[in-house]
Amino acid sequence: MENPLTKNLNSSQLEAVLCTEGPLIIFAGAGTGKTRVITHRIAYLLSLGIAPWSILAVTFTNKAAMEMKQRVNALVPQTGANVWISTFHSFCAYFLRLETSKIDLNHDFLIYDFSDQKNVIKDCFKELNIDEKKFKISNIVDKISRAKDNLQSPSDMANEAINAGDLVGTTTATIYQLYQKKLEKTGALDFGDLIMRTVLALQHYPSLLEHYQRKYKYIMVDEYQDTNCAQYTLVKLLVQKHFNICVCGDDDQSVYSWRGADINNILDFEKDYPNAKSVKLEQNYRSTPKILKTANNVVKHNDNRISKQLWTQNPDDGSVSIISAANENDEAIRVVDLISLKTSNCEYNFSDFAVFYRTNSQSRTFEDAFRRIGIPYVIIGTLRFYDRAEIKDIMAYLKFIHNTNDNVSFKRIVNVPKRGIGKISLDLLENFAVSKGISIWQAIPFSQEAGLPKGAINALNSFAQIIKKFINLKNAASVKEIAQKIITHSGYLKELENENTTEAKIKIENIQELISAISDFEKRSPDKSLSGYLTQIALVSDLDSLDESKGRITLMTLHLAKGLEFNNVFLCGLEEGLFPIGESAFEPEELAEERRLMYVGMTRAKKHLYMCWATERTVFGKTKWNMPSRFITEAGFTAEISPIELIKKQNFNNRFNTYQENNYYKKSKAKYPNNNQFYVPSNDNTVYTSTKDTSPYKIGIFVSHPVFGKGKIIEKNGVGNDLKLVVLFETGQWKKLLARVANLTLI
């Protein structure tokens, strides 16, 4: 009798699901049903009588983990709920909390976010007399995080820097050492510590390692191409007894090397596990054939990859098109006009559109354009709800109540709301605490000895009394009740009400939303403790709150786009120097990752893909002429656009022509009277050429410049007095030149 859990799977998916024993690697192309395979494989294992608590599945986002949990529960009700499915960080936080007594770790440890880390580093700078102007704090945080990803201790970093003669590295190692001491004294871990401390615990305590190796007989890792050294080592430690490891991923979607991900982990899997079975998922269920063809065209230019050719049985009813704009504002107008058209005729909802870009700064022109027209949108990856000042204030109170050694939270809340405790008094108290090796909270009874004035001493004592009352609630009240007491009894709410400004009212609304969120946590979570709540919030990511069903256009950087899909996708800013970004074009590995990022963006599109570039763009106040991204050419296009006359000749819907002429072209003509570039929506991969060019400058011919020397014309744009040429010179430089003033000689 056929197992219902293996029905409706294609042959490759079925092969992966039925392979339960030994190492297995699933190369899952974009949109090929990766999550379906993982969840059906877990359900199939359960149907064979495998105990749910012996299965561990890890991925990278809470959203992905939640989706997997829901699918497994639907496939195997009740039993499926007992399988551990989570992010790497959630699993490690659970492990560390459970094993604190065995590994010499404070059970009430806090998890510091990026903001907390920066504050601790700032204190390190102060103690070490390091000039913040010479060493950027965020860079130091990043270097320390990368060290932990690579399982490097402060001494490891110092030795490496000394051997390399790296003075900056030596200073960073000194900061890292002090930073770590401060975390240990506070009883705090950062994100890097969660995995590094778990790995070290398993390495240093053989009995602990043996217990978890016996416990987890089947381990599955999603997005394996995104694993770093620490995550790779963690998985390798856990599987050494049973070797029933299944990893799933796509080397063509490895785009996080800048945060420690090592593509070699997936490429070398079969070297690590010589008996591994390999399965490729190549049938795509998301996109149209045209989108897959152009995406394949781009990514095949990378050399170091596992060969895959995505294909689909989806109808060939979509399109891939180029939008060429005069500048970044024109780019935004064209995108907005096209979205307006497609939503006004009820063809699509706003939630069917996504605008992707390479850098956060590119969002501004789209935001301005959407606001002017009144189109709703949401930006992913900017200020999160939990990063807002008022929310971080309340969270700091909760964290400090949980662990009074938390100097970062103490300094945030001690004068919020205002209590008359100035910076000078706080510095005196902190310096005294450092000299005695105690926390700032522990130093309060010695405020007079520390040299604080009487007013500050009284204010601190009053603050201490409030905090002690909150601490007494820690084990006697719910998290929601504690938070409500903090908001009212601390004076925080009263101060906002007294302000009586629009901004203050918004802050109050956000705090009320926080209480609702806590209430929701208490309904959903099995661990309703303050510790459980703080752990959950520390692990929240930007994408966890994304609701694609809401009627808003989604704006985000390409790095956040993985795992998402939209009917219509705009890839914007496709220009050399912007995407691929900076000098990456001259570094093969960096260029390969930029190309994979392009592939990720392209394969988010289900129906229509629009690749956008602007002939000039203002960046940091300077306007630059641009060369279209090589990715446009690699996709099989020429980045030239037809004028309005050619559009009229095409057999397009009359409503479209009328809409575009009346709405966009009039605005464009008024703003850019010499601009004849225009977007052509096509049902094929055609991009029409501009008005006839009669100049002697042809692509491929050689020219000589009085300053730059001999070169070859590799791109051209515009006609007549507006003709611009891109010339690649023998020096390796390329220049964009206005033909009428460039003084070029034909060779």
Side-chain angles (χ1 to χ4, degrees), residues 233-424:
T233 305
L234 172 63
V235 172
K236 196 152 191 181
L237 284 169
L238 292 174
V239 303
Q240 290 302 307
K241 185 172 182 64
H242 300 286
F243 288 98
N244 292 325
I245 175 176
C246 169
V247 302
C248 190
D250 183 6
D251 54 300
D252 287 334
Q253 297 185 70
S254 178
V255 295
Y256 294 125
S257 66
W258 51 275
R259 70 180 190 194
D262 186 352
I263 192 174
N264 291 309
N265 291 346
I266 192 168
L267 294 177
D268 294 341
F269 181 84
E270 290 165 284
K271 293 179 184 177
D272 291 335
Y273 303 92
N275 299 322
K277 182 177 178 61
S278 171
V279 176
K280 290 182 183 179
L281 304 183
E282 296 173 295
Q283 183 176 357
N284 178 283
Y285 294 91
R286 175 188 299 151
S287 306
T288 65
K290 285 189 180 69
I291 292 170
L292 294 183
K293 179 183 177 182
T294 52
N296 285 328
N297 284 345
V298 171
V299 80
K300 73 181 181 183
H301 283 78
N302 280 348
D303 295 324
N304 190 23
R305 62 183 290 262
I306 303 298
S307 177
K308 294 178 290 296
Q309 189 72 24
L310 297 191
W311 61 277
T312 185
Q313 292 180 338
N314 290 342
D316 197 6
D317 57 356
S319 66
V320 181
S321 308
I322 308 294
I323 296 179
S324 181
N327 57 33
E328 69 272 18
N329 293 310
D330 188 28
E331 178 185 50
I333 291 170
R334 292 174 189 269
V335 170
V336 167
D337 277 354
L338 188 57
I339 292 173
S340 296
L341 171 68
K342 289 202 164 201
T343 52
S344 64
N345 62 15
C346 300
E347 185 180 357
Y348 291 106
N349 298 316
F350 288 130
S351 57
D352 291 319
F353 295 87
V355 178
F356 298 149
Y357 33 79
R358 183 63 180 80
T359 64
N360 274 311
S361 61
Q362 290 171 256
S363 72
R364 195 268 308 165
T365 53
F366 294 102
E367 289 187 74
D368 289 348
F370 288 140
R371 279 197 296 264
R372 281 196 300 269
I373 306 298
I375 292 177
Y377 66 90
V378 59
I379 301 181
I380 306 301
T382 53
L383 192 64
R384 297 184 307 159
F385 176 78
Y386 290 98
D387 286 336
R388 292 171 181 169
E390 61 274 18
I391 303 303
K392 287 189 77 70
D393 288 341
I394 304 305
M395 293 303 301
Y397 269 100
L398 290 170
K399 288 160 75 175
F400 187 68
I401 291 163
H402 180 62
N403 183 343
T404 54
N405 288 327
D406 182 7
N407 288 344
V408 172
S409 294
F410 177 92
K411 288 192 284 186
R412 184 175 188 103
I413 65 175
V414 68
N415 205 38
V416 177
K418 293 181 178 61
R419 298 185 175 91
I421 305 169
K423 185 179 183 304
I424 294 174

Side-chain angles (χ1 to χ4, degrees), residues 432-534:
F432 178 85
V434 170
S435 69
K436 299 297 183 182
I438 59 178
S439 70
I440 306 177
W441 169 257
Q442 292 169 323
I444 289 179
F446 306 99
S447 297
Q448 188 172 353
E449 184 180 342
L452 273 68
K454 187 175 181 180
I457 292 173
N458 291 336
L460 278 168
N461 288 335
S462 176
F463 169 73
Q465 292 303 314
I466 295 171
I467 294 298
K468 287 175 183 176
K469 289 179 181 177
F470 294 154
I471 291 173
N472 290 335
L473 290 172
K474 179 179 172 181
N475 297 318
S478 68
V479 179
K480 180 180 177 182
E481 290 169 335
I482 297 170
Q484 288 173 323
K485 293 283 186 184
I486 288 169
I487 292 163
T488 53
H489 287 47
S490 68
Y492 196 94
L493 181 62
K494 186 176 181 181
E495 184 173 81
L496 288 176
E497 289 173 339
N498 290 339
E499 280 184 32
N500 196 28
T501 63
T502 302
E503 184 181 358
K505 289 175 182 176
I506 292 172
K507 288 183 177 182
I508 292 172
E509 289 173 1
N510 288 335
I511 291 170
Q512 290 170 339
E513 179 61 26
L514 175 64
I515 298 299
S516 298
I518 294 173
S519 180
D520 184 53
F521 157 80
E522 291 179 336
K523 291 175 184 175
R524 292 185 292 103
S525 177
D527 181 2
K528 305 183 190 306
S529 67
L530 179 57
S531 172
Y533 176 69
L534 293 174

Side-chain angles (χ1 to χ4, degrees), residues 112-122 125 135-149 157 172 175-176 179 190-192:
Y112 275 0
D113 61 16
F114 182 70
S115 175
D116 297 326
Q117 288 178 269
K118 288 201 298 183
N119 287 328
V120 177
I121 295 294
K122 192 175 288 187
F125 275 33
F135 294 87
K136 194 174 179 182
I137 288 177
S138 58
N139 287 347
I140 298 296
V141 172
D142 185 64
K143 288 179 185 296
I144 292 173
S145 296
R146 295 295 76 77
K148 292 182 179 183
D149 289 342
M157 180 188 276
T172 304
I175 297 168
Y176 179 12
Y179 168 80
D190 60 25
F191 264 45

Side-chain angles (χ1 to χ4, degrees), residues 656-695:
F656 175 82
N657 286 327
T658 304
Y659 175 87
Q660 287 286 26
E661 281 192 73
N662 290 345
N663 288 276
Y664 175 77
Y665 193 58
K666 288 180 180 178
K667 288 185 284 185
S668 182
K669 265 296 188 187
K671 196 168 186 180
Y672 310 111
N674 296 321
N675 176 37
N676 69 351
Q677 293 181 316
F678 201 88
Y679 161 71
V680 181
S682 61
N683 288 322
D684 55 27
N685 285 2
T686 303
V687 179
Y688 301 93
T689 57
S690 299
T691 51
K692 189 174 181 180
D693 175 27
T694 59
S695 78

